[in-house]
Amino acid sequence: MSQMKFIGVAIAALLGASPAAIATDEPPVKLASPTEIAVIGDGEMMDALQRAVEDEVAIINEDGGVMGWPLKVTREACEPGTDAKPFARVKRIASRKPILVLTGRCNVAEVEPAEDAAVAYAEENILVMQVPIDTPCITRTASALTLFCLSSTGSSVTGLAFAIAAESPRNVIVLAPDYPPAAASARALQTQLHRGFQATPEEEARWGKLLPPPDNEIRNVLFSNGGPPLPDEVGAMAAEMGRHPESSVIYIGHAPWAAPILAAATLLGWNGKFYYFTLPDDATLPDSLPELSAKAEAFAVKRQPFYLGKPPESAKAYTAFHPDWVAGFWQVMKAVKYARSLDGREIAATLGGPPFFSRAPWLMLQSRSRYQPPELRQRFNDNGDLRMAGYKLEKIWPKD
């Protein structure tokens, strides 16, 4: 139940080049020589990424290249950590002044880990896109402001909270077993939902007076640790749902255990929305669901990996990746195309960081689209993380 980004943000608004990247009609200073995009890493995913980069670079070059020169793509294989000097490759590649470095984890033990190398490039003010495979990305720092992550590394809780809040529910009930990870997720959901329906004075001063928050309640109900809810707990949770018939219920726990809660709540008149996270052994839940009210809806919250696997023969390399990931990748390539210098800090400013911040979607929601903060056109947040839908909501009731 980790790594979820908010669900349902419109991709179309995010695909355009940042206004800062094309704000002037003055031609950029021509480079002294061509520049490059370096792709570093092994494996099928990095192979697919290289093909995607080459496809986009071909389009850029047909349109005149970058700052008067054609752009090239170089691939750097992983180097075992034997007698090589630490960071020798970093220094060698950095000396070529690439406009972009895409780096993924290698399958061999290297002299310097991919994470350390990514930071080293960023500290040279080179634009760096980390491509995590089995480890999280390194967060941007004051000395590495050009460091970004081409994957979903933000809060899963924030994403689900935004998706549910977008439905403007009157009441939200979070059901979770009383053990630390699930209880912490329940508390985080409650916090995010409360925060999402309010604006700070500073935010109102910046974006104007927002509509008042909806008149709703958000509460957590915890049940027994380590096993199915006890009969009295089932009754208490069902009664809470019955008192709020149109409530949105978020269930964190082994999904089949929710069946008796739903059955009892339905008898008490509950007909709201039910969200549950899927686990590998929860595939039979649609078959074990009780008969719900005709007005009720149930959604499975399913993980969406950003790398979807090897594309079919002759298909575009992009098809190997999640569509939201592709949207972020396109923004990166547009920033490269419209770059006016090799200073990664200038390019990075068109992708993310101040003034973007994670509260912008909530403000858009509260203002009911009367004003859409321009920062929402950016695809990366303050930490340099690609904002994408890490989960999808699959309706399992009504059974159409």
Side-chain angles (χ1 to χ4, degrees):
M1 291 179 287
S2 65
Q3 289 193 332
M4 181 188 303
K5 267 61 66 202
F6 45 85
I7 302 168
V9 175
I11 293 177
L14 302 166
L15 294 182
S18 171
I22 54 175
T24 176
D25 293 330
E26 296 179 5
V29 177
K30 186 172 181 178
L31 295 177
S33 61
T35 186
E36 66 176 291
I37 295 177
V39 181
I40 306 170
D42 291 335
E44 176 186 298
M45 188 168 73
M46 297 306 293
D47 292 342
L49 177 58
Q50 180 183 352
R51 290 193 298 271
V53 171
E54 290 173 341
D55 288 346
E56 194 70 6
V57 164
I59 296 172
I60 291 174
N61 287 341
E62 288 175 3
D63 199 31
V66 176
M67 289 179 279
W69 287 94
L71 188 62
K72 63 180 179 180
V73 182
T74 59
R75 178 71 179 272
E76 296 280 342
C78 293
E79 297 175 348
T82 53
D83 298 328
K85 295 180 180 180
F87 296 100
R89 180 174 60 187
V90 171
K91 295 175 182 177
R92 170 169 50 82
I93 294 175
S95 69
R96 304 200 301 253
K97 298 188 182 303
I99 197 168
L100 171 64
V101 170
L102 294 131
T103 176
R105 171 171 286 277
C106 292
N107 296 325
V108 297
E110 293 198 293
V111 174
E112 70 274 352
E115 297 88 347
D116 294 343
V119 172
Y121 287 119
E123 289 178 343
E124 294 288 331
N125 293 329
I126 296 171
L127 184 64
V128 181
M129 292 290 152
Q130 304 171 82
V131 186
I133 297 174
D134 55 4
T135 58
C137 290
I138 299 296
T139 302
R140 299 168 80 190
T141 64
S143 62
L145 291 175
T146 63
L147 188 63
F148 288 79
C149 185
L150 264 176
S151 180
S152 49
T153 57
S155 167
S156 60
V157 168
T158 301
L160 181 61
F162 180 76
I164 292 171
E167 300 293 330
S168 299
R170 287 294 305 274
N171 295 278
V172 180
I173 302 171
V174 184
L175 308 179
D178 190 11
Y179 67 92
S185 293
R187 288 193 297 271
L189 268 169
Q190 188 178 38
T191 299
Q192 288 291 339
L193 285 164
H194 276 303
R195 184 178 300 163
F197 290 123
Q198 303 176 49
T200 65
E202 293 78 10
E203 290 165 347
E204 289 195 351
R206 181 173 182 182
W207 274 299
K209 185 68 176 177
L210 304 175
L211 294 181
D215 180 20
N216 59 17
E217 293 185 41
I218 304 160
R219 61 185 61 78
N220 289 345
V221 180
L222 301 181
F223 56 85
S224 296
N225 174 18
L230 300 174
D232 60 335
E233 293 175 323
V234 170
M237 288 185 283
E240 182 70 15
M241 294 166 64
R243 282 191 289 271
H244 306 281
E246 297 181 357
S247 58
S248 292
V249 178
I250 307 168
Y251 177 83
I252 303 172
H254 190 53
W257 294 348
I261 302 171
L262 285 169
T266 299
L267 291 175
L268 294 174
W270 176 83
N271 58 13
K273 295 183 179 181
F274 179 77
Y275 302 84
Y276 76 96
F277 292 88
T278 59
L279 297 172
D281 57 349
D282 290 339
T284 58
L285 179 60
D287 297 328
S288 64
L289 272 179
E291 192 76 15
L292 300 179
S293 160
K295 293 183 179 180
E297 294 179 286
F299 299 88
V301 185
K302 296 190 173 183
R303 175 79 178 272
Q304 293 193 119
F306 76 96
Y307 181 63
L308 305 178
K310 189 174 181 180
E313 193 70 29
S314 75
K316 281 284 189 181
Y318 297 138
T319 61
F321 299 94
H322 185 279
D324 280 7
W325 189 97
V326 175
F329 172 72
W330 279 346
Q331 186 185 0
V332 173
M333 298 307 294
K334 285 180 180 294
V336 167
K337 176 179 179 179
Y338 293 108
R340 311 189 72 81
S341 80
L342 291 181
D343 189 334
R345 292 168 298 186
E346 292 187 16
I347 306 173
T350 72
L351 295 177
F356 174 82
F357 68 113
S358 60
R359 294 274 291 124
W362 294 110
L363 300 179
M364 180 187 70
L365 175 64
Q366 292 176 57
S367 63
R368 299 297 188 269
S369 300
R370 287 187 296 115
Y371 173 64
Q372 179 174 315
E375 288 83 352
L376 282 182
R377 290 197 291 267
Q378 297 180 178
R379 196 64 183 162
F380 294 86
N381 67 15
D382 286 339
N383 291 331
D385 301 330
L386 173 62
R387 301 187 292 126
M388 60 178 283
Y391 284 73
K392 64 179 179 180
L393 299 181
E394 180 179 319
K395 182 179 286 189
I396 59 172
W397 180 271
K399 298 178 180 179
D400 296 329

